[in-house]
Amino acid sequence: DAGITQSPRHKVTETGTPVTLRCHQTENHRYMYWYRQDPGHGLRLIHYSYGVKDTDKGEVSDGYSVSRSKTEDFLLTLESATSSQTSVYFCAAGPKGEVDYGYTFGSGTRLTVV
Amino acid sequence: DQQVKQNSPSLSVQEGRISILNCDYTNSMFDYFLWYKKYPAEGPTFLISISSIKDKNEDGRFTVFLNKSAKHLSLHIVPSQPGDSAVYFCAASENDYKLSFGAGTTVTVRA
């Protein structure tokens, strides 16, 4: 969906280095999310935001931090990357309406920590 | 502990036949359920949803059934088409704007 843009699309980084992933939305959604996708686990919530400067932890938040200084941008930072953080990261925003809770996802960032 | 479970990692079905994907959940507070479809190298896309006050929702070839007493929902795709080959994720929400996802089921539609 063109409304959610993630950057970079691919990244290889070394263990111990900080990494920041970016998510930009053009749909003015209040809520934004970061998920990671791993085989056998599906999509797991890392952090989410319910407004500018308002964020909260998800189920797998250890080793990650987020920031949201503007409605349209949501950043995910790996403070010191580890091999266990090799994954595909998806940003989402929404919901599309009050009743269907449908969220729009970005195309993902494939992160490899070597 | 995963609150949404998709116990079948994969499903193979012949074109034109019905695909049935199953999902179980453990959290009785979930009140909204969604299915997402995902192609390789793309993000998940919303497919269909159902609220806990309903037991069926239909959208074209896709129908979702909810059995609250069994904490079970299913997605029926009729008829299955080659373009339906994808990973399907079941998700649920407690009305708190957060989604919990299952591990996904890979559907392969054979010609």
Side-chain angles (χ1 to χ4, degrees), chain A residues 9 31 33 35 37 40-45 48 57 59 90 95-96 98-108, chain B residues 1-2 31-32 34 36 38 41-46 49 51 87 89 93 95-104:
Chain A
R9 290 296 311 275
Y31 290 84
Y33 309 81
Y35 286 89
Q37 183 193 6
H41 292 279
L43 294 154
R44 292 181 292 175
L45 182 64
Y48 69 103
K57 297 178 180 180
E59 60 181 308
F90 289 100
K96 293 181 180 179
E98 287 298 321
V99 298
D100 68 359
Y101 288 86
Y103 298 85
T104 303
F105 281 80
S107 298
Chain B
D1 191 25
Q2 207 159 17
D31 66 351
Y32 222 87
L34 304 87
Y36 277 81
K38 184 183 179 304
E42 296 184 10
T45 55
F46 173 71
S49 63
S51 78
V87 179
F89 291 102
S93 172
N95 194 25
D96 58 356
Y97 295 99
K98 292 188 293 182
L99 292 179
S100 296
F101 285 84

Side-chain angles (χ1 to χ4, degrees), chain A residues 101, chain B residues 25 27-33 50-54 66 68 92-96:
Chain A
Y101 288 86
Chain B
Y25 61 94
N27 186 346
S28 59
M29 299 300 291
F30 285 146
D31 66 351
Y32 222 87
F33 304 89
I50 188 168
S51 78
S52 59
I53 63 173
K54 296 183 178 181
L66 175 63
K68 285 190 65 180
S93 172
E94 283 189 45
N95 194 25
D96 58 356

Side-chain angles (χ1 to χ4, degrees), chain B residues 12-73:
Chain B
S12 181
V13 64
Q14 194 165 7
E15 182 178 0
R17 304 295 292 269
I18 184 172
S19 294
I20 299 176
L21 290 77
N22 294 304
C23 178
D24 297 296
Y25 61 94
T26 58
N27 186 346
S28 59
M29 299 300 291
F30 285 146
D31 66 351
Y32 222 87
F33 304 89
L34 304 87
W35 285 93
Y36 277 81
K37 178 179 180 179
K38 184 183 179 304
Y39 292 118
E42 296 184 10
T45 55
F46 173 71
L47 191 57
I48 191 169
S49 63
I50 188 168
S51 78
S52 59
I53 63 173
K54 296 183 178 181
D55 55 17
K56 177 183 175 180
N57 189 27
E58 191 172 356
D59 184 1
R61 295 185 298 114
F62 303 92
T63 302
V64 56
F65 296 92
L66 175 63
N67 182 335
K68 285 190 65 180
S69 61
K71 293 189 178 66
H72 177 83
L73 65 154

Side-chain angles (χ1 to χ4, degrees), chain A residues 73-94:
Chain A
D73 294 322
F74 193 33
L75 305 182
L76 175 70
T77 297
L78 288 66
E79 304 293 345
S80 177
T82 68
S83 58
S84 65
Q85 293 175 313
T86 292
S87 186
V88 181
Y89 292 85
F90 289 100
C91 174

Side-chain angles (χ1 to χ4, degrees), chain A residues 21-36:
Chain A
L21 307 183
R22 292 172 170 76
C23 179
H24 178 82
Q25 63 144 331
T26 59
E27 299 172 342
N28 201 35
H29 289 303
R30 175 183 173 188
Y31 290 84
M32 296 186 74
Y33 309 81
W34 278 106
Y35 286 89
R36 59 178 289 176

